[in-house]
Amino acid sequence: MTPADMVPVPYTWVLALSAFLFAIGVVGVLLRRNGIAIFLSLEIMLNSANLAFAAFAYRFAGRHATVAAALDGQIFIFFVIAVAAAEAAVGLALFIVLHRLKDSIDVDRANILRW
Amino acid sequence: MVTYVFLAAAAVAVIFAILAVVPRNPMTNVFSLVVLFFSMAAVFAILGMDFLAAIQVIVYSGAILVLFLFVIMLLNIREVEPFGSGRRWQAVIGTLVAGGIGALILVIAGLLLPEQGSVLPGVADIGTAAPIGKALLSTHLFAFEFITLLLVASIVGAVYLGKRGDR
């Protein structure tokens, strides 16, 4: 499928989807107490930020016609995914330690600063 | 045609994002997130970003979510709490804050970018692996190497944290 024979999607739709997903992620972070569920909501929020980057990369690819403008957004998404992987590794290790100490990953019970 | 595919992917994304947040069973949350990430890969593909679509499926669905599943099964977590249990005001304020943030993003996007027009097709093959790989290894080389350092550091930190025994 070449770009010529498809009607392009408006980038504002992608931004709107990004806003919806971000709001859902905020609801999850604020209302859940299960640590894993809070982490999953964080991943949703990171992905909505990725969608916003993708929307603007898509938007500026056509107008400015510079390759760098479209590429920088995609490369930033790549870095965000890498940071999310690092964050998931460390965070899940923290939850394993928390579960070992408290027998629960309810974040309301993580109320000590030392063990 | 592409518009309908985008709308379908967006609907699936929103539905499964809600399913990833609301149910109390963590396994349901994780598997809904897998579907969400697949639909986001579809959105990336629609926008012409083939490389990112592949990365989204391989790295997110294939690696990060498997890590989540591994931890949930290792810790044998059953449902911890029903959604929004605990404090009533917390649920109300949380929903209001989230709705406000979502509306704020929409309003700011509408104010700053009043043009509703669609986008001209960009430069051809902008989203394939070749231009992204070239940019990563030339323009963004320092950031690319730094992210590898970050990943090594986080893995070492995770191993240290997970190690049992006296410290």
Side-chain angles (χ1 to χ4, degrees):
Chain A
M1 190 159 49
T2 62
D5 49 52
M6 55 187 190
V7 181
V9 179
Y11 73 98
T12 46
W13 292 9
V14 186
L15 276 183
L17 175 63
S18 161
F20 275 117
L21 291 182
F22 193 86
I24 293 170
V26 172
V27 168
V29 169
L30 290 179
L31 297 193
R32 295 299 299 262
R33 283 181 295 147
N34 181 352
I36 300 280
I38 289 176
F39 241 45
L40 292 176
S41 308
L42 275 180
E43 298 289 334
I44 295 177
M45 289 162 73
L46 283 171
N47 271 278
S48 78
N50 278 351
L51 264 188
F53 272 119
F56 285 116
Y58 174 68
R59 155 84 167 72
F60 289 120
R63 299 292 165 80
H64 291 195
T66 57
V67 177
L71 273 184
D72 283 351
Q74 298 186 45
I75 285 167
F76 217 104
I77 295 175
F78 183 80
F79 288 150
V80 169
I81 290 176
V83 170
E87 169 241 341
V90 176
L92 289 173
L94 283 174
F95 278 121
I96 288 177
V97 176
L98 178 64
H99 189 269
R100 198 178 290 156
L101 287 173
K102 290 272 185 176
D103 270 335
S104 161
I105 55 162
D106 190 332
V107 290
D108 281 355
R109 296 188 58 194
N111 52 6
I112 53 171
L113 212 51
R114 61 179 299 278
W115 54 81
Chain B
M1 177 60 196
V2 177
T3 313
Y4 293 123
V5 176
F6 173 79
L7 287 179
V12 169
V14 170
I15 290 170
F16 279 90
I18 292 170
L19 281 180
V21 166
V22 173
R24 55 196 295 193
N25 186 352
M27 299 297 283
T28 315
N29 298 148
V30 173
F31 282 114
S32 307
L33 209 60
V34 171
V35 180
L36 167 65
F37 288 161
F38 267 88
S39 64
M40 285 193 49
V43 172
F44 284 143
I46 290 169
L47 297 184
M49 301 167 181
D50 310 346
F51 177 71
L52 285 180
I55 286 290
Q56 179 86 9
V57 171
I58 295 170
V59 175
Y60 253 122
S61 310
I64 296 181
L65 287 187
V66 168
L67 201 62
F68 276 92
L69 279 182
F70 177 72
V71 170
I72 289 172
M73 291 177 176
L74 180 74
L75 299 184
N76 197 12
I77 299 163
R78 292 184 192 84
E79 67 274 9
V80 176
E81 97 285 1
F83 180 74
S85 73
R87 305 172 189 82
R88 180 68 55 83
W89 56 266
Q90 188 182 12
V92 173
I93 293 176
T95 311
L96 284 179
V97 165
I101 289 176
L104 197 65
I105 295 172
L106 283 178
V107 167
I108 289 173
L111 283 183
L112 294 183
L113 312 153
E115 328 166 46
Q116 294 291 321
S118 54
V119 182
L120 296 173
V123 188
D125 292 340
I126 198 81
T128 54
I132 293 180
K134 272 179 195 157
L136 273 181
L137 290 179
S138 58
T139 318
H140 302 277
L141 181 62
F142 177 75
F144 184 65
E145 295 297 335
F146 196 79
I147 216 83
T148 60
L149 191 64
L150 174 73
L151 283 170
V152 170
S154 71
I155 294 300
V156 171
V159 169
Y160 174 73
L161 281 175
K163 197 177 60 175
R164 197 182 283 272
D166 53 354
R167 42 186 117 207

